[in-house]
Amino acid sequence: QVQVVESGGDSVQTGGSLTLSCTATGMTFSFKDYDVGWFRQVPGKEREGVSCISVDGVTDYYRDSVKGRFTIRRDNAKDTLFLQMNNLKPDDTAMYFCAIDVFGNFRDWVRGPVGGFRYSGQGTQVTVSS
């Protein structure tokens, strides 16, 4: 049974920082074998891709609105994905989800509505107040 668990969400003020974590187990292959990413959703709006990273951690892409503020990182030895978020803004307020087995073009995945993926969890809420 696949289990994807996101954590680290919280309520912070503008300019604050958070680090989100995601662990994934039970997939057909190991965590290290999948391209992974983060997407977010605000109620009533489309899910949008935030960032994604290749299996080896070398290639990553970011949504324009988070470039320079967010950093995606993976620890394949611990089957864990991270999203370091700095200089948070009220527009970053959303439920954040981890995506396992991201597929399609990475640039498109973070450009508009979130692209394809196979697994995700229940999400972790990030709230940024002004």
Side-chain angles (χ1 to χ4, degrees), residues 66-126:
V66 308
K67 282 180 182 176
R69 300 188 297 120
F70 290 12
T71 302
I72 192 169
R73 181 175 67 85
R74 64 190 300 164
D75 185 339
N76 286 339
K78 297 182 178 179
D79 296 344
T80 304
L81 178 67
F82 301 96
L83 185 67
Q84 174 68 43
M85 305 187 295
N86 297 326
N87 191 20
L88 282 160
K89 303 177 180 181
D91 283 349
D92 295 319
T93 295
M95 185 74 79
Y96 283 73
F97 300 84
C98 172
I100 306 297
D101 195 10
V102 167
F103 49 87
N105 183 284
F106 273 21
R107 284 190 177 88
D108 292 339
W109 205 88
V110 299
R111 185 170 296 171
V114 67
F117 60 91
R118 194 175 303 276
Y119 309 110
S120 68
Q122 296 299 309
T124 186
Q125 178 67 38
V126 172

Side-chain angles (χ1 to χ4, degrees), residues 56-72:
D56 57 6
V58 172
T59 303
D60 54 23
Y61 286 88
Y62 297 90
R63 191 171 197 82
D64 284 346
S65 62
V66 308
K67 282 180 182 176
R69 300 188 297 120
F70 290 12
T71 302
I72 192 169

Side-chain angles (χ1 to χ4, degrees), residues 6-26:
E6 301 94 340
S7 62
D10 204 345
S11 296
V12 297
Q13 293 190 326
T14 297
S17 297
L18 286 173
T19 300
L20 306 185
S21 300
C22 167
T23 59
T25 58

